[in-house]
mmCIF file with all atom_site columns, all heavy atoms in Angstrom:
data_model
loop_
_atom_site.group_PDB
_atom_site.id
_atom_site.type_symbol
_atom_site.label_atom_id
_atom_site.label_alt_id
_atom_site.label_comp_id
_atom_site.label_asym_id
_atom_site.label_entity_id
_atom_site.label_seq_id
_atom_site.pdbx_PDB_ins_code
_atom_site.Cartn_x
_atom_site.Cartn_y
_atom_site.Cartn_z
_atom_site.occupancy
_atom_site.B_iso_or_equiv
_atom_site.pdbx_formal_charge
_atom_site.auth_seq_id
_atom_site.auth_comp_id
_atom_site.auth_asym_id
_atom_site.auth_atom_id
_atom_site.pdbx_PDB_model_num
ATOM 1  N N   . GLY A 1 149 ? 113.514 110.951 102.959 1.00 0.00 ? 149 GLY A N   1
ATOM 2  C CA  . GLY A 1 149 ? 113.173 111.151 104.376 1.00 0.00 ? 149 GLY A CA  1
ATOM 3  C C   . GLY A 1 149 ? 111.793 111.689 104.613 1.00 0.00 ? 149 GLY A C   1
ATOM 4  O O   . GLY A 1 149 ? 111.104 111.317 105.591 1.00 0.00 ? 149 GLY A O   1
ATOM 5  N N   . ARG A 1 150 ? 111.299 112.501 103.700 1.00 0.00 ? 150 ARG A N   1
ATOM 6  C CA  . ARG A 1 150 ? 109.885 113.038 103.850 1.00 0.00 ? 150 ARG A CA  1
ATOM 7  C C   . ARG A 1 150 ? 108.871 111.929 103.688 1.00 0.00 ? 150 ARG A C   1
ATOM 8  O O   . ARG A 1 150 ? 107.918 111.914 104.317 1.00 0.00 ? 150 ARG A O   1
ATOM 9  C CB  . ARG A 1 150 ? 109.625 114.139 102.859 1.00 0.00 ? 150 ARG A CB  1
ATOM 10 C CG  . ARG A 1 150 ? 108.318 114.882 103.060 1.00 0.00 ? 150 ARG A CG  1
ATOM 11 C CD  . ARG A 1 150 ? 108.256 116.229 102.448 1.00 0.00 ? 150 ARG A CD  1
ATOM 12 N NE  . ARG A 1 150 ? 106.937 116.820 102.630 1.00 0.00 ? 150 ARG A NE  1
ATOM 13 C CZ  . ARG A 1 150 ? 106.018 116.895 101.672 1.00 0.00 ? 150 ARG A CZ  1
ATOM 14 N NH1 . ARG A 1 150 ? 106.240 116.369 100.500 1.00 0.00 ? 150 ARG A NH1 1
ATOM 15 N NH2 . ARG A 1 150 ? 104.865 117.458 101.942 1.00 0.00 ? 150 ARG A NH2 1
ATOM 16 N N   . THR A 1 151 ? 109.183 111.010 102.810 1.00 0.00 ? 151 THR A N   1
ATOM 17 C CA  . THR A 1 151 ? 108.228 109.855 102.608 1.00 0.00 ? 151 THR A CA  1
ATOM 18 C C   . THR A 1 151 ? 108.142 109.073 103.897 1.00 0.00 ? 151 THR A C   1
ATOM 19 O O   . THR A 1 151 ? 107.024 108.717 104.291 1.00 0.00 ? 151 THR A O   1
ATOM 20 C CB  . THR A 1 151 ? 108.743 109.016 101.483 1.00 0.00 ? 151 THR A CB  1
ATOM 21 O OG1 . THR A 1 151 ? 109.050 109.836 100.304 1.00 0.00 ? 151 THR A OG1 1
ATOM 22 C CG2 . THR A 1 151 ? 107.725 107.986 101.065 1.00 0.00 ? 151 THR A CG2 1
ATOM 23 N N   . LYS A 1 152 ? 109.239 108.834 104.565 1.00 0.00 ? 152 LYS A N   1
ATOM 24 C CA  . LYS A 1 152 ? 109.241 108.071 105.776 1.00 0.00 ? 152 LYS A CA  1
ATOM 25 C C   . LYS A 1 152 ? 108.511 108.776 106.865 1.00 0.00 ? 152 LYS A C   1
ATOM 26 O O   . LYS A 1 152 ? 107.812 108.237 107.698 1.00 0.00 ? 152 LYS A O   1
ATOM 27 C CB  . LYS A 1 152 ? 110.612 107.700 106.171 1.00 0.00 ? 152 LYS A CB  1
ATOM 28 C CG  . LYS A 1 152 ? 111.347 106.815 105.167 1.00 0.00 ? 152 LYS A CG  1
ATOM 29 C CD  . LYS A 1 152 ? 112.769 106.486 105.572 1.00 0.00 ? 152 LYS A CD  1
ATOM 30 C CE  . LYS A 1 152 ? 113.481 105.651 104.567 1.00 0.00 ? 152 LYS A CE  1
ATOM 31 N NZ  . LYS A 1 152 ? 114.888 105.384 104.956 1.00 0.00 ? 152 LYS A NZ  1
ATOM 32 N N   . LYS A 1 153 ? 108.693 110.138 106.907 1.00 0.00 ? 153 LYS A N   1
ATOM 33 C CA  . LYS A 1 153 ? 107.975 110.918 107.916 1.00 0.00 ? 153 LYS A CA  1
ATOM 34 C C   . LYS A 1 153 ? 106.448 110.873 107.729 1.00 0.00 ? 153 LYS A C   1
ATOM 35 O O   . LYS A 1 153 ? 105.672 110.798 108.644 1.00 0.00 ? 153 LYS A O   1
ATOM 36 C CB  . LYS A 1 153 ? 108.485 112.377 107.883 1.00 0.00 ? 153 LYS A CB  1
ATOM 37 C CG  . LYS A 1 153 ? 109.868 112.535 108.417 1.00 0.00 ? 153 LYS A CG  1
ATOM 38 C CD  . LYS A 1 153 ? 110.349 114.037 108.388 1.00 0.00 ? 153 LYS A CD  1
ATOM 39 C CE  . LYS A 1 153 ? 111.699 114.250 108.938 1.00 0.00 ? 153 LYS A CE  1
ATOM 40 N NZ  . LYS A 1 153 ? 112.106 115.660 108.852 1.00 0.00 ? 153 LYS A NZ  1
ATOM 41 N N   . LEU A 1 154 ? 106.089 110.945 106.391 1.00 0.00 ? 154 LEU A N   1
ATOM 42 C CA  . LEU A 1 154 ? 104.579 110.886 106.182 1.00 0.00 ? 154 LEU A CA  1
ATOM 43 C C   . LEU A 1 154 ? 104.065 109.519 106.565 1.00 0.00 ? 154 LEU A C   1
ATOM 44 O O   . LEU A 1 154 ? 102.955 109.478 107.117 1.00 0.00 ? 154 LEU A O   1
ATOM 45 C CB  . LEU A 1 154 ? 104.412 111.084 104.676 1.00 0.00 ? 154 LEU A CB  1
ATOM 46 C CG  . LEU A 1 154 ? 104.617 112.549 104.158 1.00 0.00 ? 154 LEU A CG  1
ATOM 47 C CD1 . LEU A 1 154 ? 104.509 112.520 102.647 1.00 0.00 ? 154 LEU A CD1 1
ATOM 48 C CD2 . LEU A 1 154 ? 103.656 113.454 104.778 1.00 0.00 ? 154 LEU A CD2 1
ATOM 49 N N   . VAL A 1 155 ? 104.794 108.483 106.329 1.00 0.00 ? 155 VAL A N   1
ATOM 50 C CA  . VAL A 1 155 ? 104.292 107.078 106.741 1.00 0.00 ? 155 VAL A CA  1
ATOM 51 C C   . VAL A 1 155 ? 104.296 106.974 108.255 1.00 0.00 ? 155 VAL A C   1
ATOM 52 O O   . VAL A 1 155 ? 103.343 106.364 108.840 1.00 0.00 ? 155 VAL A O   1
ATOM 53 C CB  . VAL A 1 155 ? 105.187 106.059 106.147 1.00 0.00 ? 155 VAL A CB  1
ATOM 54 C CG1 . VAL A 1 155 ? 104.876 104.655 106.615 1.00 0.00 ? 155 VAL A CG1 1
ATOM 55 C CG2 . VAL A 1 155 ? 105.044 106.055 104.647 1.00 0.00 ? 155 VAL A CG2 1
ATOM 56 N N   . GLU A 1 156 ? 105.282 107.568 108.919 1.00 0.00 ? 156 GLU A N   1
ATOM 57 C CA  . GLU A 1 156 ? 105.209 107.491 110.472 1.00 0.00 ? 156 GLU A CA  1
ATOM 58 C C   . GLU A 1 156 ? 104.022 108.285 110.986 1.00 0.00 ? 156 GLU A C   1
ATOM 59 O O   . GLU A 1 156 ? 103.409 107.845 111.894 1.00 0.00 ? 156 GLU A O   1
ATOM 60 C CB  . GLU A 1 156 ? 106.553 108.093 110.956 1.00 0.00 ? 156 GLU A CB  1
ATOM 61 C CG  . GLU A 1 156 ? 107.750 107.295 110.699 1.00 0.00 ? 156 GLU A CG  1
ATOM 62 C CD  . GLU A 1 156 ? 107.785 105.955 111.472 1.00 0.00 ? 156 GLU A CD  1
ATOM 63 O OE1 . GLU A 1 156 ? 107.093 105.862 112.506 1.00 0.00 ? 156 GLU A OE1 1
ATOM 64 O OE2 . GLU A 1 156 ? 108.462 104.938 111.079 1.00 0.00 ? 156 GLU A OE2 1
#
Side-chain angles (χ1 to χ4, degrees):
R150 184 161 181 256
T151 311
K152 297 178 182 180
K153 289 181 180 179
L154 290 173
V155 172
E156 292 292 338

